[in-house]
Amino acid sequence: MKITLPLVECIAGVSAGNLTVGILVLLMFLPPFRTVARADDPRTDIESGNIQAPENRIVGDPFADDNLFSSDFADDSEETRASGNRVKLELHGYLESRNRLRTTDSEFISTRQRLWLEGHGSYGSAKAVGAEPPLRMFVSGAVDLDPGAADLSDDHETVRIYPEEAFLTIDRPGWNAVIGRKIHRIGTGDGINPLDLINPLDYRDPIATGRSDARLPVLLGLATINLPVSKPFQEANLDVIVVPLAQVNRLNSPGSAWESPGLQKLRAGQQEGAYILEDQKEPDQAFDQAEVEVRLAATLSGWDLSLIGFYGYLDSPVFEREYRSGPGSVQTLYVTPIHPDFSAFGFTFAKGLDRSTLRGELAVKPELPVMMKDDSLPGYTRTTVMEGVLGIDRTFGTNFYVNLQYFYAWTSEAENLINDTWAHGITYDVHDTFLQDDLEAGVRGILGFTGQGWTLEPYAEYQLADDWLFQGSLLFFEGPESGTYGQYDDNDLVTLRVRYSF
């Protein structure tokens, strides 16, 4: 499909068979490490490889990482015995072969082979059963080999060695703090989160599943302060998050599987000499271009409630247009992708109801930068946008799970904007387990009611002996050429994944 809005940036071999076979052979000869699962283990987002803390766990995650080793170091001095302080170190990881074949042209757009490692460290003595030590550290990183994606564009290197998250947690009575590089998701919406504004999109591999995306960690500081409460409130706390330098979505390189048709057409116009497309202008002034989010949360009669305020910079760029005089007073049009600042305010709630959860989110974004339809200056304007999510999930019988989330966006004075005045749709996830709960199979996706298009992903994943995960899925994009999801209808995918955790 071809998009008709050239200045809109949307969400943004080697023998693949032989490479995959080689990885699988290597995996088959690894020793079968087995460990006892722990209730406090973090969970892994199997699509992006990002490690989420238990409270940020992505729904539907099939397994927890296992120990490679776990060691306690403590001397026998009287001081150590009296305090109970101990140093504990753990290392986890996995080997994974994930291969994505585009069905429209039978081309591999990714043949990613990954070695993932993560380390946990703690110091101190937990004051109560089930409590965490007061000082904790987490570090993760990976080595990726992806010749399939590297053949398409320079977004990917054939071999990439990179750190992911690295942060320190300090837990004290009445408060705790996190400092470091981290993924920190905000909001209660499950599939779409209007207030999830801290972490930018992973432009190299943005689509995690048919109803979720992949995010990148950022350097941040987070402080949580427990507040005194009185009835009818059960508890309350204040979160303050500071990102010293705002991080934003990068534009995909030419040839990337996720280069939007709008960006392709924009680059084609530059090649034809219609204008000069400048490099993306990202925030680059530490502290002067910081992001701040404040969250006041409370529990009232079983309802989890929060008020959220955010100030930061637009993740997806808008395009600023400016005529500049050149030699002989010739006027030349310059187009620059920029990330203006904006504010957002919101409210979230969640309530457990027997075997269901009711959740919702409302965000108001006054003076939000939005692209204009025509080609006249200045290219974008500011207007008020309201976004919301209302959803429910329920488990029927033993493990039959249904999750439906209704989302909407309302844009003020949208007549001359690329946004519609009203846009809405649903996200969905329906799955069940079989074969003594080792096999999970289901379908998930997004369905837009106002021209956004839709995604559909039937999938199955099989857990073998706690160490092995086998997953297969089909991901379809469909809809109008100008739709958020329909523009990627050439990217229908088959994904096959094998993972060995240790």
Side-chain angles (χ1 to χ4, degrees):
M1 287 184 176
K2 302 299 181 183
I3 192 167
T4 58
L5 300 174
L7 296 182
V8 181
E9 170 57 18
C10 298
I11 292 178
V14 297
S15 172
N18 293 340
L19 182 61
T20 303
V21 169
I23 293 293
L24 293 178
V25 170
L26 174 63
L27 292 174
M28 292 297 293
F29 284 94
L30 286 173
F33 294 110
R34 300 292 300 277
T35 60
V36 178
R38 302 182 313 283
D40 62 344
D41 271 347
R43 300 299 192 255
T44 302
D45 174 355
I46 65 172
E47 291 293 335
S48 64
N50 296 325
I51 307 303
Q52 309 294 326
E55 65 270 19
N56 295 330
R57 177 186 174 189
I58 294 177
V59 174
D61 196 319
F63 71 101
D65 294 292
D66 295 324
N67 271 334
L68 177 59
F69 67 78
S70 177
S71 301
D72 293 333
F73 302 93
D75 61 41
D76 291 326
S77 67
E78 291 186 9
E79 180 181 357
T80 299
R81 287 197 299 270
S83 66
N85 289 336
R86 304 173 73 86
V87 175
K88 185 176 182 180
L89 301 175
E90 300 175 358
L91 180 65
H92 315 274
Y94 61 80
L95 280 169
E96 178 185 84
S97 175
R98 190 209 67 178
N99 304 280
R100 284 181 160 172
L101 178 70
R102 187 162 53 196
T103 61
T104 52
D105 55 11
S106 299
E107 181 178 19
F108 279 97
I109 66 170
S110 178
T111 52
R112 190 185 72 192
Q113 318 302 310
R114 167 175 284 178
L115 168 63
W116 178 275
L117 295 173
E118 63 179 58
H120 307 257
S122 62
Y123 174 76
S125 176
K127 302 302 182 182
V129 176
E132 295 281 2
L135 192 63
R136 303 185 298 277
M137 180 189 69
F138 178 82
V139 179
S140 65
V143 179
D144 284 355
L145 173 67
D146 197 341
D151 286 346
L152 296 178
S153 74
D154 59 8
D155 280 347
H156 294 261
E157 299 174 349
T158 302
V159 179
R160 179 173 173 245
I161 303 173
Y162 62 96
E164 189 72 7
E165 293 184 288
F167 58 89
L168 178 69
T169 301
I170 304 169
D171 202 345
R172 304 300 299 168
W175 63 274
N176 63 65
V178 176
I179 302 172
R181 183 175 155 87
K182 191 177 188 301
I183 293 176
H184 188 79
R185 291 188 177 268
I186 302 291
T188 59
D190 190 3
I192 290 180
N193 294 91
L195 291 167
D196 189 17
L197 303 170
I198 295 294
N199 300 98
L201 198 66
D202 185 353
Y203 69 100
R204 298 182 186 88
D205 204 5
I207 304 298
T209 72
R211 52 176 266 145
S212 67
D213 53 31
R215 301 283 176 162
L216 294 172
V218 299
L219 181 65
L220 58 78
L222 163 64
T224 299
I225 302 170
N226 298 333
L227 302 177
V229 296
S230 58
K231 291 184 178 180
F233 292 96
Q234 285 78 56
E235 60 182 354
N237 58 70
L238 177 68
D239 294 342
V240 179
I241 304 169
V242 177
V243 180
L245 178 61
Q247 303 297 304
V248 296
N249 300 347
R250 296 281 303 277
L251 293 176
N252 289 102
S253 296
S256 166
W258 303 107
E259 180 190 18
S260 71
L263 185 55
Q264 293 174 9
K265 194 167 183 178
L266 185 63
R267 286 170 170 156
Q270 177 182 232
Q271 293 177 353
E272 295 169 358
Y275 41 75
I276 294 177
L277 178 61
E278 296 191 299
D279 292 337
Q280 185 174 356
K281 188 176 180 181
E282 303 177 24
D284 59 2
Q285 301 295 319
F287 297 105
D288 287 341
Q289 293 180 301
E291 293 186 324
V292 179
E293 186 158 67
V294 178
R295 175 177 176 265
L296 177 62
T299 302
L300 174 64
S301 301
W303 289 85
D304 294 325
L305 310 172
S306 67
L307 295 173
I308 297 173
F310 172 84
Y311 172 79
Y313 292 81
L314 201 65
D315 277 343
S316 295
V318 292
F319 293 85
E320 183 179 59
R321 304 174 199 150
E322 180 184 10
Y323 282 99
R324 302 177 191 171
S325 297
S329 299
V330 175
Q331 295 286 306
T332 302
L333 176 61
Y334 285 77
V335 178
T336 309
I338 62 172
H339 300 266
D341 63 338
F342 76 103
S343 298
F345 309 92
F347 170 75
T348 71
F349 67 87
K351 169 71 171 177
L353 303 168
D354 190 21
R355 306 188 70 189
S356 303
T357 303
L358 178 68
R359 66 187 82 200
E361 190 168 339
L362 174 66
V364 180
K365 301 175 181 179
E367 301 297 313
L368 185 70
V370 178
M371 287 297 299
M372 300 179 69
K373 286 181 181 178
D374 57 43
D375 294 331
S376 63
L377 296 177
Y380 76 94
T381 188
R382 290 180 179 268
T383 190
T384 298
V385 176
M386 296 180 61
E387 299 173 290
V389 176
L390 179 63
I392 188 169
D393 61 83
R394 180 174 177 83
T395 301
F396 297 89
T398 304
N399 291 311
F400 183 67
Y401 177 79
V402 177
N403 186 314
L404 296 174
Q405 309 280 319
Y406 173 77
F407 64 89
Y408 72 89
W410 175 83
T411 301
S412 174
E413 301 178 355
E415 294 80 6
N416 297 318
L417 305 177
I418 63 167
N419 290 16
D420 293 327
T421 300
W422 182 260
H424 61 127
I426 62 169
T427 68
Y428 58 91
D429 182 0
V430 180
H431 64 255
D432 203 348
T433 58
F434 310 90
L435 302 179
Q436 298 179 334
D437 298 338
D438 290 330
L439 174 65
E440 178 180 301
V443 61
R444 56 198 173 197
I446 301 174
L447 175 60
F449 298 149
T450 46
Q452 306 98 315
W454 52 265
T455 67
L456 172 70
E457 184 186 23
Y459 71 95
E461 48 197 37
Y462 181 72
Q463 184 74 37
L464 176 64
D466 295 332
D467 301 319
W468 290 89
L469 176 72
F470 301 88
Q471 184 190 58
S473 66
L474 296 169
L475 178 55
F476 301 99
F477 299 89
E478 192 54 77
E481 293 183 354
S482 59
T484 303
Y485 311 109
Q487 65 175 324
Y488 290 119
D489 69 342
D490 289 338
N491 264 9
D492 292 349
L493 300 174
V494 176
T495 300
L496 298 175
R497 180 194 309 271
V498 178
R499 174 181 287 187
Y500 175 81
S501 299
F502 52 83

